[in-house]
């Protein structure tokens, strides 16, 4: 069964909030691709829509929008997600994951689309956020 960490970016304030999602709520993300929208109730944000912007697998390999499917692929990169060249013209073959969310995905990055801020919707109580932040 799928189990994800969903990192929700709030474009109105620039803050991020992390939620652990499993079970039926996690199934809403399976098979979706980067750029797709998911209902915010999957992470407890009713009234919001969540746009998938990125993610990574358990080895930390990033998802790339230009690679189809959920599988690993070695691509020759000049920069962008997954590789930052140290000099002009440098290229490197990097293993990345495709744009489709699968069982191998561990973290999903999303952007909250709504009229108010995420912090206001949570009522100041970030119950899904890291335990370290509650201290």
């Amino acid at each position: 069964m799928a189990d994800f960490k969903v990192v929700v970016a709030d474009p109105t304030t620039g803050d991020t909030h992390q939620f652990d999602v499993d079970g039926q709520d996690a199934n809403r993300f399976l098979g979706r691709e980067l750029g797709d929208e998911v209902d915010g109730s999957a992470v407890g944000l009713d009234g919001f829509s969540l746009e998938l912007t990125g993610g990574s697998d358990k080895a930390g390999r990033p998802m790339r929008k230009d690679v189809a499917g959920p599988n690993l692929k070695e691509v020759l990169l000049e920069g962008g997600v997954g590789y930052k060249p140290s000099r002009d013209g440098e290229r490197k073959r990097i293993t990345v994951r495709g744009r489709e969310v699968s069982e191998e995905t561990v973290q999903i990055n999303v952007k909250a689309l709504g009229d108010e801020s995420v912090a206001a919707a949570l009522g100041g109580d970030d119950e899904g956020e890291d335990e370290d932040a509650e201290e």
Side-chain angles (χ1 to χ4, degrees), residues 2 13 20 26 50 56 64 66 72 81 84 88-89 107 112 121 123-124 126:
T13 63
D20 292 317
L50 305 175
S56 60
R64 282 193 56 111
D66 57 350
L72 293 174
V81 176
K84 183 177 178 183
D88 287 342
Q107 176 181 317
D126 300 335

Side-chain angles (χ1 to χ4, degrees), residues 8-121:
V8 180
D10 187 355
T12 58
T13 63
D15 294 337
T16 58
H17 304 274
Q18 183 172 317
F19 300 91
D20 292 317
V21 179
D22 58 1
Q24 190 62 32
D25 290 332
N27 289 340
R28 295 183 192 185
F29 291 98
L30 288 175
R32 301 293 178 108
E33 294 185 348
L34 298 182
D36 289 353
E37 291 187 13
V38 178
D39 186 36
S41 61
V43 294
L45 295 173
D46 296 328
F48 283 88
S49 182
L50 305 175
E51 179 185 347
L52 276 65
T53 58
S56 60
D57 63 7
K58 64 182 177 183
R61 291 180 286 250
M63 296 172 70
R64 282 193 56 111
K65 198 168 191 167
D66 57 350
V67 177
N71 298 324
L72 293 174
K73 185 171 183 180
E74 288 188 352
V75 292
L76 187 62
L77 299 179
E78 295 178 344
V81 176
Y83 177 63
K84 183 177 178 183
S86 59
R87 62 186 196 284
D88 287 342
E90 184 178 23
R91 299 186 306 170
K92 191 172 183 181
R93 189 163 306 278
I94 302 290
T95 303
V96 296
R97 192 157 290 279
R99 65 177 165 248
E100 185 178 323
V101 177
S102 68
E103 295 276 343
E104 300 297 319
T105 306
V106 174
Q107 176 181 317
I108 302 172
N109 303 327
V110 298
K111 177 171 63 172
L113 306 174
D115 296 334
E116 60 180 326
S117 72
V118 174

